[in-house]
Amino acid sequence: MRAVGIEQFGGPDVLKVVDRPLPVPGPAQVRIKVSAAAVNPTDLLLRSGLLTAALAGQEPPHTPGMDASGVVDAVGDGVDIEVGEPVMAFVNPFHAAGGAQAEYVVVPRDQVVAAPRGLDLRDVAGLPMNGLTAHLALSLLDLPEGATLAVTGAAGALGGYVVQLAKHRGLRVVADAAVRDRDLVHGLGVDLVVPRAAATADLAGVYRVAVPEGADAIVDAAVIGADALGVVKDGGQFVKCRPYELASERGITIHGVVVMGHPAKRAALEELAALAEKGVLTLRTADVLAPELAPEAHRRLEAGGVRGRLILAF
C-alpha cells in the first residue's frame, strides 16, 4: 500500500510516498481503508527528528498522522463494527505500523467510531486528534457552567474546537484575535474578542481590560506559555497543549494535555461525532492535498496562519 514515509529526519522534502506492507487486524482491531488523514503539528516534530525517543526500536520509513477517516475494510475477532461502515479514528503513529497517512491503517476498536452522517469524509478526518485534545482539556478543567474560559489560538483548528465545546458546556469564552480573524472567532461562539497583543508579554494586559478579575482558566492552544499566565485569576487553571516547562504562580494549577493518554477515547470520539453531526462542532478544512504534496502541507503548517485543517486524501 502507499503511505507517506520518513526515511530520514529533516525538512519537509524528506517526506516521500513509499510502499508499506498491508496491515492485518488482530483481535479487537479494525482495518480502515483511508479516505483522508489530517496533517498535525506532531507530524512536523516527528519529521524533524524531535520525537525519536518515541520511535525507539522502530525502523524507517516512519509514517506520520494521528487522525483518519475512511471505511471499515476488515476486522479482527471480537469487533462489533461492520465492514463497509464509514468511520473516523484516532491513530497512534509511534508504533511499527505507523500513523494515519496511508491507504490502510489498523487501529484498536476503542479508537474508531462511526463517522458523523451527512459530512464529507475528507472534512471528518480533521476532527479526531484536535477534537480529543479539546475534549481532554475541558475535562481536566471541569469548570462549572458560567465560568470564564480564555482561549489562545481560537482561530486555529484546536482553538476553534475548544471554543465550540466550551460554549456547548455553558462556559463564557474570551479569546484574542487578529483583525482578520475577529469575525471567524465570533462565529465560533466567542463571547468577548480582545485584540491580538503586539507582543506575548502584553497578552495579560489586553485580556485584563476585558476581564479585569482574570479568567477562571485558560487553554493555551497557541502555545504562548508563561506570558499567558497573567490572563488567569489567582487560584485559576492553565492548560498546556504542548509539553513544555511552566512554573506555577499565584496558586494556578497547571495541566498538561497528552492526547495519547485520553482515558476514554471511544466515548469522547462518539460524543465529538454526534456534536459534529448536529452542527455544534464546525469541521473546517483549509485544503485537501494528494499524499505526494505532504511536503507542501508541512511547509504551510510551519509557516502558520492556517485556518482549518490541511488534509491528505487517499
PDB file of all heavy atoms in Angstrom, residues 42-73:
ATOM      1  N   THR A  42       2.229  17.611  15.474  1.00  0.00           N
ATOM      2  CA  THR A  42       3.037  16.469  15.896  1.00  0.00           C
ATOM      3  C   THR A  42       3.767  15.835  14.720  1.00  0.00           C
ATOM      4  O   THR A  42       4.890  15.341  14.863  1.00  0.00           O
ATOM      5  CB  THR A  42       2.154  15.424  16.607  1.00  0.00           C
ATOM      6  OG1 THR A  42       1.530  16.024  17.739  1.00  0.00           O
ATOM      7  CG2 THR A  42       2.970  14.227  17.065  1.00  0.00           C
ATOM      8  N   ASP A  43       3.137  15.862  13.533  1.00  0.00           N
ATOM      9  CA  ASP A  43       3.792  15.323  12.335  1.00  0.00           C
ATOM     10  C   ASP A  43       5.075  16.092  12.028  1.00  0.00           C
ATOM     11  O   ASP A  43       6.071  15.506  11.585  1.00  0.00           O
ATOM     12  CB  ASP A  43       2.859  15.415  11.128  1.00  0.00           C
ATOM     13  CG  ASP A  43       1.549  14.678  11.323  1.00  0.00           C
ATOM     14  OD1 ASP A  43       1.454  13.846  12.240  1.00  0.00           O
ATOM     15  OD2 ASP A  43       0.617  14.940  10.536  1.00  0.00           O
ATOM     16  N   LEU A  44       5.043  17.411  12.242  1.00  0.00           N
ATOM     17  CA  LEU A  44       6.221  18.230  11.977  1.00  0.00           C
ATOM     18  C   LEU A  44       7.355  17.858  12.926  1.00  0.00           C
ATOM     19  O   LEU A  44       8.526  17.787  12.520  1.00  0.00           O
ATOM     20  CB  LEU A  44       5.887  19.717  12.144  1.00  0.00           C
ATOM     21  CG  LEU A  44       4.666  20.264  11.390  1.00  0.00           C
ATOM     22  CD1 LEU A  44       4.580  21.779  11.567  1.00  0.00           C
ATOM     23  CD2 LEU A  44       4.703  19.901   9.919  1.00  0.00           C
ATOM     24  N   LEU A  45       6.998  17.625  14.187  1.00  0.00           N
ATOM     25  CA  LEU A  45       8.011  17.236  15.170  1.00  0.00           C
ATOM     26  C   LEU A  45       8.592  15.867  14.849  1.00  0.00           C
ATOM     27  O   LEU A  45       9.807  15.648  14.941  1.00  0.00           O
ATOM     28  CB  LEU A  45       7.397  17.237  16.569  1.00  0.00           C
ATOM     29  CG  LEU A  45       6.853  18.575  17.089  1.00  0.00           C
ATOM     30  CD1 LEU A  45       6.161  18.376  18.433  1.00  0.00           C
ATOM     31  CD2 LEU A  45       7.965  19.611  17.207  1.00  0.00           C
ATOM     32  N   LEU A  46       7.722  14.939  14.464  1.00  0.00           N
ATOM     33  CA  LEU A  46       8.183  13.591  14.115  1.00  0.00           C
ATOM     34  C   LEU A  46       9.142  13.660  12.932  1.00  0.00           C
ATOM     35  O   LEU A  46      10.227  13.071  12.943  1.00  0.00           O
ATOM     36  CB  LEU A  46       6.974  12.713  13.798  1.00  0.00           C
ATOM     37  CG  LEU A  46       7.177  11.206  13.685  1.00  0.00           C
ATOM     38  CD1 LEU A  46       5.854  10.477  13.882  1.00  0.00           C
ATOM     39  CD2 LEU A  46       7.763  10.799  12.339  1.00  0.00           C
ATOM     40  N   ARG A  47       8.744  14.405  11.899  1.00  0.00           N
ATOM     41  CA  ARG A  47       9.560  14.517  10.685  1.00  0.00           C
ATOM     42  C   ARG A  47      10.930  15.147  10.953  1.00  0.00           C
ATOM     43  O   ARG A  47      11.948  14.761  10.375  1.00  0.00           O
ATOM     44  CB  ARG A  47       8.800  15.367   9.665  1.00  0.00           C
ATOM     45  CG  ARG A  47       9.473  15.506   8.307  1.00  0.00           C
ATOM     46  CD  ARG A  47       9.161  16.854   7.701  1.00  0.00           C
ATOM     47  NE  ARG A  47       9.906  17.935   8.323  1.00  0.00           N
ATOM     48  CZ  ARG A  47       9.404  19.122   8.644  1.00  0.00           C
ATOM     49  NH1 ARG A  47       8.124  19.407   8.440  1.00  0.00           N
ATOM     50  NH2 ARG A  47      10.194  20.035   9.194  1.00  0.00           N
ATOM     51  N   SER A  48      10.953  16.119  11.867  1.00  0.00           N
ATOM     52  CA  SER A  48      12.192  16.847  12.125  1.00  0.00           C
ATOM     53  C   SER A  48      13.171  16.064  12.994  1.00  0.00           C
ATOM     54  O   SER A  48      14.338  16.451  13.118  1.00  0.00           O
ATOM     55  CB  SER A  48      11.878  18.184  12.800  1.00  0.00           C
ATOM     56  OG  SER A  48      11.352  17.970  14.100  1.00  0.00           O
ATOM     57  N   GLY A  49      12.705  14.975  13.611  1.00  0.00           N
ATOM     58  CA  GLY A  49      13.585  14.166  14.446  1.00  0.00           C
ATOM     59  C   GLY A  49      13.524  14.503  15.917  1.00  0.00           C
ATOM     60  O   GLY A  49      14.305  13.971  16.713  1.00  0.00           O
ATOM     61  N   LEU A  50      12.565  15.341  16.320  1.00  0.00           N
ATOM     62  CA  LEU A  50      12.468  15.739  17.722  1.00  0.00           C
ATOM     63  C   LEU A  50      11.717  14.725  18.580  1.00  0.00           C
ATOM     64  O   LEU A  50      11.648  14.887  19.794  1.00  0.00           O
ATOM     65  CB  LEU A  50      11.777  17.109  17.824  1.00  0.00           C
ATOM     66  CG  LEU A  50      12.567  18.286  17.231  1.00  0.00           C
ATOM     67  CD1 LEU A  50      11.748  19.566  17.306  1.00  0.00           C
ATOM     68  CD2 LEU A  50      13.896  18.456  17.958  1.00  0.00           C
ATOM     69  N   LEU A  51      11.167  13.689  17.947  1.00  0.00           N
ATOM     70  CA  LEU A  51      10.406  12.682  18.706  1.00  0.00           C
ATOM     71  C   LEU A  51      11.038  11.294  18.554  1.00  0.00           C
ATOM     72  O   LEU A  51      10.347  10.276  18.647  1.00  0.00           O
ATOM     73  CB  LEU A  51       8.946  12.659  18.231  1.00  0.00           C
ATOM     74  CG  LEU A  51       8.174  13.966  18.398  1.00  0.00           C
ATOM     75  CD1 LEU A  51       6.760  13.826  17.845  1.00  0.00           C
ATOM     76  CD2 LEU A  51       8.116  14.389  19.866  1.00  0.00           C
ATOM     77  N   THR A  52      12.338  11.253  18.365  1.00  0.00           N
ATOM     78  CA  THR A  52      12.990   9.960  18.130  1.00  0.00           C
ATOM     79  C   THR A  52      12.850   9.013  19.317  1.00  0.00           C
ATOM     80  O   THR A  52      12.808   7.793  19.134  1.00  0.00           O
ATOM     81  CB  THR A  52      14.478  10.157  17.805  1.00  0.00           C
ATOM     82  OG1 THR A  52      15.078  10.960  18.831  1.00  0.00           O
ATOM     83  CG2 THR A  52      14.659  10.843  16.473  1.00  0.00           C
ATOM     84  N   ALA A  53      12.757   9.563  20.529  1.00  0.00           N
ATOM     85  CA  ALA A  53      12.615   8.697  21.704  1.00  0.00           C
ATOM     86  C   ALA A  53      11.336   7.872  21.624  1.00  0.00           C
ATOM     87  O   ALA A  53      11.290   6.717  22.064  1.00  0.00           O
ATOM     88  CB  ALA A  53      12.634   9.534  22.983  1.00  0.00           C
ATOM     89  N   ALA A  54      10.289   8.458  21.038  1.00  0.00           N
ATOM     90  CA  ALA A  54       9.010   7.744  20.923  1.00  0.00           C
ATOM     91  C   ALA A  54       9.049   6.681  19.830  1.00  0.00           C
ATOM     92  O   ALA A  54       8.153   5.835  19.757  1.00  0.00           O
ATOM     93  CB  ALA A  54       7.878   8.737  20.638  1.00  0.00           C
ATOM     94  N   LEU A  55      10.074   6.722  18.988  1.00  0.00           N
ATOM     95  CA  LEU A  55      10.209   5.766  17.884  1.00  0.00           C
ATOM     96  C   LEU A  55      11.300   4.736  18.152  1.00  0.00           C
ATOM     97  O   LEU A  55      11.718   4.024  17.236  1.00  0.00           O
ATOM     98  CB  LEU A  55      10.531   6.513  16.587  1.00  0.00           C
ATOM     99  CG  LEU A  55       9.470   7.491  16.090  1.00  0.00           C
ATOM    100  CD1 LEU A  55      10.052   8.390  14.995  1.00  0.00           C
ATOM    101  CD2 LEU A  55       8.237   6.764  15.595  1.00  0.00           C
ATOM    102  N   ALA A  56      11.748   4.654  19.384  1.00  0.00           N
ATOM    103  CA  ALA A  56      12.869   3.776  19.732  1.00  0.00           C
ATOM    104  C   ALA A  56      12.606   2.335  19.287  1.00  0.00           C
ATOM    105  O   ALA A  56      11.530   1.772  19.543  1.00  0.00           O
ATOM    106  CB  ALA A  56      13.111   3.817  21.237  1.00  0.00           C
ATOM    107  N   GLY A  57      13.585   1.765  18.612  1.00  0.00           N
ATOM    108  CA  GLY A  57      13.483   0.377  18.173  1.00  0.00           C
ATOM    109  C   GLY A  57      12.752   0.173  16.870  1.00  0.00           C
ATOM    110  O   GLY A  57      12.653  -0.959  16.388  1.00  0.00           O
ATOM    111  N   GLN A  58      12.224   1.235  16.268  1.00  0.00           N
ATOM    112  CA  GLN A  58      11.482   1.112  15.017  1.00  0.00           C
ATOM    113  C   GLN A  58      12.364   1.492  13.837  1.00  0.00           C
ATOM    114  O   GLN A  58      13.176   2.412  13.924  1.00  0.00           O
ATOM    115  CB  GLN A  58      10.240   1.999  15.054  1.00  0.00           C
ATOM    116  CG  GLN A  58       9.253   1.628  16.145  1.00  0.00           C
ATOM    117  CD  GLN A  58       8.088   2.588  16.205  1.00  0.00           C
ATOM    118  OE1 GLN A  58       7.726   3.211  15.226  1.00  0.00           O
ATOM    119  NE2 GLN A  58       7.493   2.720  17.381  1.00  0.00           N
ATOM    120  N   GLU A  59      12.173   0.789  12.750  1.00  0.00           N
ATOM    121  CA  GLU A  59      12.956   1.042  11.547  1.00  0.00           C
ATOM    122  C   GLU A  59      12.172   1.954  10.597  1.00  0.00           C
ATOM    123  O   GLU A  59      10.955   1.844  10.478  1.00  0.00           O
ATOM    124  CB  GLU A  59      13.269  -0.275  10.834  1.00  0.00           C
ATOM    125  CG  GLU A  59      14.168  -1.207  11.632  1.00  0.00           C
ATOM    126  CD  GLU A  59      15.554  -0.624  11.854  1.00  0.00           C
ATOM    127  OE1 GLU A  59      16.068   0.064  10.944  1.00  0.00           O
ATOM    128  OE2 GLU A  59      16.119  -0.842  12.953  1.00  0.00           O
ATOM    129  N   PRO A  60      12.861   2.870   9.896  1.00  0.00           N
ATOM    130  CA  PRO A  60      12.172   3.674   8.890  1.00  0.00           C
ATOM    131  C   PRO A  60      11.747   2.796   7.707  1.00  0.00           C
ATOM    132  O   PRO A  60      12.287   1.689   7.540  1.00  0.00           O
ATOM    133  CB  PRO A  60      13.241   4.692   8.483  1.00  0.00           C
ATOM    134  CG  PRO A  60      14.547   4.058   8.816  1.00  0.00           C
ATOM    135  CD  PRO A  60      14.283   3.179  10.025  1.00  0.00           C
ATOM    136  N   PRO A  61      10.791   3.279   6.915  1.00  0.00           N
ATOM    137  CA  PRO A  61      10.188   4.600   6.971  1.00  0.00           C
ATOM    138  C   PRO A  61       9.134   4.718   8.073  1.00  0.00           C
ATOM    139  O   PRO A  61       8.408   3.757   8.346  1.00  0.00           O
ATOM    140  CB  PRO A  61       9.536   4.747   5.590  1.00  0.00           C
ATOM    141  CG  PRO A  61       9.204   3.336   5.192  1.00  0.00           C
ATOM    142  CD  PRO A  61      10.307   2.493   5.748  1.00  0.00           C
ATOM    143  N   HIS A  62       9.075   5.896   8.689  1.00  0.00           N
ATOM    144  CA  HIS A  62       8.061   6.201   9.688  1.00  0.00           C
ATOM    145  C   HIS A  62       6.920   6.943   9.002  1.00  0.00           C
ATOM    146  O   HIS A  62       7.158   7.862   8.217  1.00  0.00           O
ATOM    147  CB  HIS A  62       8.646   7.072  10.790  1.00  0.00           C
ATOM    148  CG  HIS A  62       9.900   6.515  11.396  1.00  0.00           C
ATOM    149  ND1 HIS A  62       9.914   5.353  12.139  1.00  0.00           N
ATOM    150  CD2 HIS A  62      11.187   6.945  11.350  1.00  0.00           C
ATOM    151  CE1 HIS A  62      11.151   5.100  12.541  1.00  0.00           C
ATOM    152  NE2 HIS A  62      11.943   6.056  12.072  1.00  0.00           N
ATOM    153  N   THR A  63       5.690   6.555   9.310  1.00  0.00           N
ATOM    154  CA  THR A  63       4.523   7.199   8.710  1.00  0.00           C
ATOM    155  C   THR A  63       3.819   8.065   9.745  1.00  0.00           C
ATOM    156  O   THR A  63       3.413   7.560  10.795  1.00  0.00           O
ATOM    157  CB  THR A  63       3.551   6.149   8.148  1.00  0.00           C
ATOM    158  OG1 THR A  63       4.176   5.482   7.051  1.00  0.00           O
ATOM    159  CG2 THR A  63       2.257   6.793   7.660  1.00  0.00           C
ATOM    160  N   PRO A  64       3.680   9.373   9.477  1.00  0.00           N
ATOM    161  CA  PRO A  64       3.017  10.254  10.433  1.00  0.00           C
ATOM    162  C   PRO A  64       1.498  10.195  10.311  1.00  0.00           C
ATOM    163  O   PRO A  64       0.956   9.449   9.492  1.00  0.00           O
ATOM    164  CB  PRO A  64       3.547  11.639  10.045  1.00  0.00           C
ATOM    165  CG  PRO A  64       3.831  11.533   8.581  1.00  0.00           C
ATOM    166  CD  PRO A  64       4.249  10.098   8.330  1.00  0.00           C
ATOM    167  N   GLY A  65       0.842  10.994  11.141  1.00  0.00           N
ATOM    168  CA  GLY A  65      -0.621  11.106  11.076  1.00  0.00           C
ATOM    169  C   GLY A  65      -1.295  10.527  12.294  1.00  0.00           C
ATOM    170  O   GLY A  65      -1.009   9.393  12.691  1.00  0.00           O
ATOM    171  N   MET A  66      -2.201  11.317  12.901  1.00  0.00           N
ATOM    172  CA  MET A  66      -2.864  10.893  14.129  1.00  0.00           C
ATOM    173  C   MET A  66      -4.382  10.786  13.993  1.00  0.00           C
ATOM    174  O   MET A  66      -5.046  10.378  14.943  1.00  0.00           O
ATOM    175  CB  MET A  66      -2.513  11.848  15.266  1.00  0.00           C
ATOM    176  CG  MET A  66      -1.018  11.880  15.576  1.00  0.00           C
ATOM    177  SD  MET A  66      -0.574  12.976  16.932  1.00  0.00           S
ATOM    178  CE  MET A  66      -1.150  12.017  18.342  1.00  0.00           C
ATOM    179  N   ASP A  67      -4.922  11.176  12.854  1.00  0.00           N
ATOM    180  CA  ASP A  67      -6.369  11.013  12.700  1.00  0.00           C
ATOM    181  C   ASP A  67      -6.710  10.738  11.245  1.00  0.00           C
ATOM    182  O   ASP A  67      -6.065  11.233  10.322  1.00  0.00           O
ATOM    183  CB  ASP A  67      -7.161  12.217  13.216  1.00  0.00           C
ATOM    184  CG  ASP A  67      -6.511  13.566  13.012  1.00  0.00           C
ATOM    185  OD1 ASP A  67      -5.511  13.670  12.274  1.00  0.00           O
ATOM    186  OD2 ASP A  67      -7.010  14.526  13.594  1.00  0.00           O
ATOM    187  N   ALA A  68      -7.728   9.899  11.068  1.00  0.00           N
ATOM    188  CA  ALA A  68      -8.098   9.451   9.733  1.00  0.00           C
ATOM    189  C   ALA A  68      -9.605   9.228   9.654  1.00  0.00           C
ATOM    190  O   ALA A  68     -10.287   9.006  10.658  1.00  0.00           O
ATOM    191  CB  ALA A  68      -7.375   8.148   9.389  1.00  0.00           C
ATOM    192  N   SER A  69     -10.092   9.279   8.431  1.00  0.00           N
ATOM    193  CA  SER A  69     -11.469   8.869   8.138  1.00  0.00           C
ATOM    194  C   SER A  69     -11.422   7.878   6.987  1.00  0.00           C
ATOM    195  O   SER A  69     -10.455   7.848   6.217  1.00  0.00           O
ATOM    196  CB  SER A  69     -12.317  10.086   7.753  1.00  0.00           C
ATOM    197  OG  SER A  69     -11.802  10.678   6.558  1.00  0.00           O
ATOM    198  N   GLY A  70     -12.456   7.070   6.888  1.00  0.00           N
ATOM    199  CA  GLY A  70     -12.494   6.093   5.810  1.00  0.00           C
ATOM    200  C   GLY A  70     -13.620   5.105   6.017  1.00  0.00           C
ATOM    201  O   GLY A  70     -14.623   5.405   6.660  1.00  0.00           O
ATOM    202  N   VAL A  71     -13.417   3.908   5.488  1.00  0.00           N
ATOM    203  CA  VAL A  71     -14.433   2.852   5.534  1.00  0.00           C
ATOM    204  C   VAL A  71     -13.797   1.593   6.104  1.00  0.00           C
ATOM    205  O   VAL A  71     -12.663   1.241   5.743  1.00  0.00           O
ATOM    206  CB  VAL A  71     -14.994   2.582   4.126  1.00  0.00           C
ATOM    207  CG1 VAL A  71     -15.972   1.412   4.146  1.00  0.00           C
ATOM    208  CG2 VAL A  71     -15.674   3.831   3.573  1.00  0.00           C
ATOM    209  N   VAL A  72     -14.508   0.923   6.995  1.00  0.00           N
ATOM    210  CA  VAL A  72     -14.001  -0.318   7.581  1.00  0.00           C
ATOM    211  C   VAL A  72     -13.793  -1.352   6.472  1.00  0.00           C
ATOM    212  O   VAL A  72     -14.702  -1.636   5.686  1.00  0.00           O
ATOM    213  CB  VAL A  72     -14.967  -0.866   8.649  1.00  0.00           C
ATOM    214  CG1 VAL A  72     -14.487  -2.227   9.152  1.00  0.00           C
ATOM    215  CG2 VAL A  72     -15.085   0.111   9.805  1.00  0.00           C
ATOM    216  N   ASP A  73     -12.596  -1.902   6.438  1.00  0.00           N
ATOM    217  CA  ASP A  73     -12.202  -2.825   5.371  1.00  0.00           C
ATOM    218  C   ASP A  73     -12.106  -4.265   5.872  1.00  0.00           C
ATOM    219  O   ASP A  73     -12.373  -5.211   5.142  1.00  0.00           O
ATOM    220  CB  ASP A  73     -10.846  -2.368   4.817  1.00  0.00           C
ATOM    221  CG  ASP A  73     -10.228  -3.350   3.854  1.00  0.00           C
ATOM    222  OD1 ASP A  73     -10.745  -3.473   2.738  1.00  0.00           O
ATOM    223  OD2 ASP A  73      -9.222  -3.989   4.224  1.00  0.00           O
TER     224      ASP A  73
END
